[in-house]
Amino acid sequence: DITGVIGAGEPTLAEFNEAVHIEAAGDIRELSVVSQHIRKDDVSSITAGGDIAFATGTLSTKFQINGPGRLDVVAGGNVDLGTGTGIVTRGNVDNFYLPEGGADISVLAGATSPDYAGFLDYAGDKAGFTAALTAFVDKHAEYREGPRETDAGLAQAQDKAALRAMPDALSTPFLRGQFFSLLRGYGREALAGGGEPSYAKGREAVAAMFPSGSYGKGNIELFYSQIKTEQGGDIELLAPGGGITVGVANPNQNLIKNKKASEQGLFTVRGGDILAYLRDDFLVNQSRVFTLDGGDILVWA
């Protein structure tokens, strides 16, 4: 385990001036982390084989990224933000010497990794996916061996090989984005068909990304907290074996008297999408889900 509380003291704040990777086989509890990114490809990660949890009654616990890039928060169990500040990316608000633009946030509960290889095998021949893959590989042509093949089948195999050769920090956000694109397309297709909609194709995509046995029970709980990108950046939430609770149904005013409404919920403040896949319920209750200044919201439950 990793804990940010030593003895009876306040949670420890761990500050870093570059991307940081924190990993525990067990739980991560009461740990506050602030990291600074200077490049768009900087990635910080906080990973627990068990739960990631902030206690109730404290307002200071947080995961915060300044600058661009991405923050990955991954728990084999639950992600419970309690009453803490939550998960926030702030761009150059705190340090105007950083480039403008905030980091993306990805949160996964109930598994330590999706089956990206299995999803690539599944999605590889889908029309929308192949076009997106071609465009993505063209942007990162240094990972492609030789010039593009003229034969369509050989070119497709070449693009897949290039994607597999890329570092995870580059390839996995693309695959997660394509996962949500397929879900959106399959959902629209189901509704456009008339009669009783069939979501079988969407379930096939889910089974490819999260095959049976690859995940367990895991919820994402904001409780009295937030997940927010303040200067641009997407938010992706994945709970293949559980649900997402954005806020509680009957807030205790004694607990939240020091919290503004703008500090509770899911927000992208200056552009950015909110994308969520979960098995169970997506409960907003008396909280809020906003994309401000542009951005889409997609929830597949």
Side-chain angles (χ1 to χ4, degrees):
D1 299 337
I2 297 175
T3 179
V5 177
I6 307 300
E10 285 294 311
T12 301
L13 173 61
E15 294 186 274
F16 303 87
N17 65 356
E18 59 185 346
V20 61
H21 303 282
I22 298 170
E23 185 171 3
D27 298 336
I28 295 177
R29 295 183 178 275
E30 307 317 313
L31 180 66
S32 284
V33 177
V34 175
S35 175
Q36 177 173 274
H37 294 173
I38 60 174
R39 293 175 294 270
K40 289 183 178 180
D41 59 354
D42 281 347
V43 179
S44 288
S45 63
I46 300 171
T47 304
D51 296 334
I52 294 176
F54 299 161
T56 58
T58 178
L59 301 176
S60 60
T61 44
K62 62 185 176 182
F63 298 151
Q64 178 178 315
I65 299 295
N66 298 322
R70 193 175 82 251
L71 170 63
D72 292 336
V73 178
V74 179
N78 299 314
V79 175
D80 185 350
L81 301 182
T83 56
T85 300
I87 303 172
V88 180
T89 67
R90 306 205 70 205
N92 66 358
V93 172
D94 292 341
N95 179 359
F96 65 86
Y97 290 107
L98 293 172
E100 188 171 353
D104 299 329
I105 297 171
S106 174
V107 182
L108 169 63
T112 53
S113 176
D115 185 356
Y116 292 114
F119 178 74
L120 177 58
D121 290 340
Y122 162 80
D125 61 350
K126 305 295 186 292
F129 179 85
T130 55
L133 178 59
T134 296
F136 184 71
V137 172
D138 283 346
K139 288 182 179 179
H140 304 281
E142 66 272 21
Y143 293 98
R144 186 176 62 216
E145 290 192 3
R148 179 175 294 283
E149 297 285 351
T150 56
D151 178 82
L154 293 176
Q156 186 182 51
Q158 189 182 36
D159 287 342
K160 289 181 182 178
L163 186 69
R164 293 187 182 101
M166 294 180 192
D168 289 346
L170 193 59
S171 63
T172 56
F174 169 77
L175 289 170
R176 286 198 304 270
Q178 291 306 301
F179 171 69
F180 283 112
S181 292
L182 284 179
L183 290 185
R184 181 184 59 205
Y186 291 152
R188 289 175 174 171
E189 182 181 325
L191 292 174
E196 185 69 22
S198 171
Y199 298 98
K201 288 185 178 180
R203 294 191 180 99
E204 288 177 0
V206 168
M209 185 67 100
F210 297 104
S212 178
S214 68
Y215 58 87
K217 180 68 175 177
N219 300 316
I220 299 174
E221 306 276 359
L222 275 66
F223 195 55
Y224 292 140
S225 192
Q226 66 180 338
I227 299 177
K228 177 165 63 178
T229 62
E230 293 187 1
Q231 205 178 68
D234 298 335
I235 296 173
E236 296 176 342
L237 306 176
L238 297 163
I244 297 173
T245 302
V246 181
V248 293
N250 297 297
N252 182 331
Q253 297 303 316
N254 291 326
L255 269 178
I256 62 172
K257 59 186 177 181
N258 294 321
K259 283 225 167 191
K260 302 174 183 176
S262 60
E263 296 172 332
Q264 301 171 65
L266 285 171
F267 309 98
T268 60
V269 176
R270 287 181 55 187
D273 298 336
I274 294 176
L275 308 168
Y277 164 72
L278 55 148
R279 186 191 65 185
D280 299 332
D281 295 330
F282 186 91
L283 301 174
V284 180
N285 291 316
Q286 293 192 44
S287 192
R288 53 210 57 81
V289 180
F290 290 153
T291 56
L292 305 173
D293 199 22
D296 298 328
I297 297 175
L298 171 67
V299 176
W300 183 292

